Amino acid sequence: EQALLRPLFTTSFLIDDFLDDNGFLGAGTVLLSSASSKTAYGTAFCLARRRGSKGTPKVIGLTSPANVAFTRGLGCYDDVSTYDALTALPADVPTVYVDMSGSVRVRASVHTHFGERLTYSCSVGGTHWDELGSAKGLPGPRPVLFFAPAQIAKRRADWGPDGLAGRIAEAWGGFVVAVTGADHPWLRVVRGAGREAVESVYLALLHGRASPEEGH
């Protein structure tokens, strides 16, 4: 679990902290693409820990039809939508877009649908590796790359290195409990060895057949 998730979760923690540190950029909704991916649901987990606090936004995940049931079952998203149903989401709610997919097509759909109601758009991942491309000329705010080291530097100055490490460790502890829960684990560790196993996992990922429940 440490090898599969800890580096990704650190990024998730920093995204959540950045959004909170900036008042969620005035948004009432945080929209995450590739919502079944581990960095995305780590971010949603951190955001969900804030439920009930004043100003906490609704968290919506975008995913493929095949991963809707898994993503909803996590319980950390307030709502889950497929990419094709994006235009059914309320366009009048100020929204932050956290892009884990890197897809030009999805990004264009989000920016076109929300327009000036999109208060912030940041790029984090590239799960849709075959749809990567330019973010120029879109309605709404200019998409920016989320730069985790900048938030680390800020929080080290605010809290000290030990303070930051302690907060990440506390959040990680809660995340591991959810991920490894006996009744409904979010992750199943699959072990393999040798060239054929590596090739099989890589090709499954490349062709979109990788299961969100699995960590290899």
Side-chain angles (χ1 to χ4, degrees), residues 28-47:
T29 296
V30 174
L31 182 69
L32 294 99
S33 58
S34 294
S36 68
S37 70
K38 294 165 180 63
T39 310
Y41 72 62
T43 305
F45 170 85
C46 291
L47 288 164

Side-chain angles (χ1 to χ4, degrees), residues 154-184:
K154 183 180 187 304
R155 286 315 200 184
R156 279 180 173 165
D158 293 340
W159 300 331
D162 291 343
L164 174 60
R167 284 169 169 83
I168 294 174
E170 188 272 332
W172 166 254
F175 184 61
V176 169
V177 169
V179 165
T180 61
D183 294 334
H184 181 59

Side-chain angles (χ1 to χ4, degrees), residues 11-12 15-16 19 29-48 57-64 71 76-83 86 89 95-102 106 110 114 122 124 127-128:
T11 300
S12 300
I15 294 167
D16 165 72
L19 294 175
T29 296
V30 174
L31 182 69
L32 294 99
S33 58
S34 294
S36 68
S37 70
K38 294 165 180 63
T39 310
Y41 72 62
T43 305
F45 170 85
C46 291
L47 288 164
K58 184 177 182 180
V59 184
I60 299 178
L62 290 176
T63 191
S64 63
T71 308
C76 52
Y77 291 97
D78 295 299
D79 197 6
V80 175
S81 171
T82 61
Y83 295 109
L86 166 65
L89 297 175
T95 297
V96 163
Y97 179 44
V98 181
D99 184 10
M100 303 287 182
S101 73
V106 175
V110 169
F114 291 100
C122 66
V124 181
T127 60
H128 292 47

